[in-house]
Amino acid sequence: MVHGRDRELRLVEAFVTGLDPTTLVVSGLSGIGKSTTVLAALHRIGAQASAVRLVRSCSSRPYAQALSGRLHLDLSAHSMPVPVGSVPLGSVPGHELDAAGLLDAVGSAVGPQSAGPRILFVDDLDVLSAGRAAWLQQLGELAYERGWRILAAARHVPVGPLPDDVEVLDLGPLGARSLRLLLDAALRTPWPPTSRNGCTGGARATRGSPSSSPTR
């Protein structure tokens, strides 16, 4: 269960079931819940058999896996080194997947009979540089022609123009109530009930520490 992301879940669900030829990038800091939110939305719309998650997309050994767990696809044959001249100064050259080859491989592995919307989730773009945004737009255009939608997760989207068909959904920090529910679920230990005056478990009690004043 995902706490505090109802709006984001609805937006992701609306995107993957819509008809717009766009690509959606979910952006946020590491550990903030990008992958969890996207995967929860895909499960809610019943895309377990038709959605594919792509990981290590910028490495020499990328692979894809179906949400159902029935597919593990090595995509190394479609990964190419990025030319040094196209890499920003100070950056380490990486790899880039051939968009058409990627879609051919994933489409053949999933098959035409899979129920649910056909979604490719690129889960690890890290920084959405200009080069990666251009690659994502190309992937999105080819995917739309083949009946696929493209979702992506990025840790950081630099300020500046993006391709017209690439949209960004920013994931901010959780609110206090949602964070409390998340911690309760993780620890499986409910917090003391909150009284009408806002205190938990009594007027003088504090959670996890004595009621005395802190020592300076």
Side-chain angles (χ1 to χ4, degrees):
M1 184 177 182
V2 179
H3 296 288
R5 299 293 187 200
D6 291 344
R7 171 182 170 272
E8 290 86 352
L9 286 169
R10 289 195 300 270
L11 288 173
V12 173
E13 291 170 16
F15 168 78
V16 298
T17 57
L19 299 176
D20 237 4
T22 55
T23 293
L24 180 65
V25 178
V26 180
S27 172
L29 298 175
S30 297
I32 205 166
K34 300 183 293 294
S35 299
T36 300
T37 301
V38 170
L39 294 174
L42 295 178
H43 278 283
R44 279 175 33 156
I45 62 170
Q48 292 91 326
S50 58
V52 176
R53 182 183 187 186
L54 172 63
V55 295
R56 300 185 64 184
S57 60
C58 301
S59 77
S60 61
R61 296 295 303 273
Y63 65 92
Q65 52 191 141
L67 267 61
S68 62
R70 298 179 181 177
L71 168 68
H72 188 95
L73 187 61
D74 183 0
L75 297 166
S76 310
H78 304 287
S79 181
M80 304 171 294
V82 176
V84 176
S86 63
V87 177
L89 186 64
S91 299
V92 178
H95 286 69
E96 184 174 280
L97 277 162
D98 174 65
L102 164 62
L103 290 169
D104 285 343
V106 171
S108 298
V110 171
Q113 305 302 322
S114 298
R118 296 158 71 86
I119 310 297
L120 179 59
F121 174 34
V122 185
D123 195 14
D124 58 351
L125 284 180
D126 194 34
V127 177
L128 189 66
S129 63
R132 288 178 181 172
W135 174 80
L136 203 59
Q137 182 182 33
Q138 180 193 19
L139 180 65
E141 291 172 351
L142 291 173
Y144 187 73
E145 294 172 0
R146 305 177 190 205
W148 285 78
R149 306 301 306 276
I150 303 297
L151 273 166
R155 180 178 56 83
H156 177 60
V157 178
V159 176
L162 288 171
D164 291 340
D165 291 335
V166 175
E167 299 180 357
V168 177
L169 172 61
D170 291 314
L171 241 62
L174 289 173
R177 182 177 183 277
S178 298
L179 185 59
R180 170 176 168 168
L181 291 172
L182 180 63
L183 290 172
D184 285 350
L187 298 174
R188 297 187 181 279
T189 52
W191 289 39
T194 303
S195 63
R196 290 184 179 179
N197 63 3
C199 299
T200 56
R204 297 183 180 178
T206 57
R207 189 174 187 269
S209 62
S211 58
S212 57
S213 301
T215 303
R216 296 188 178 181

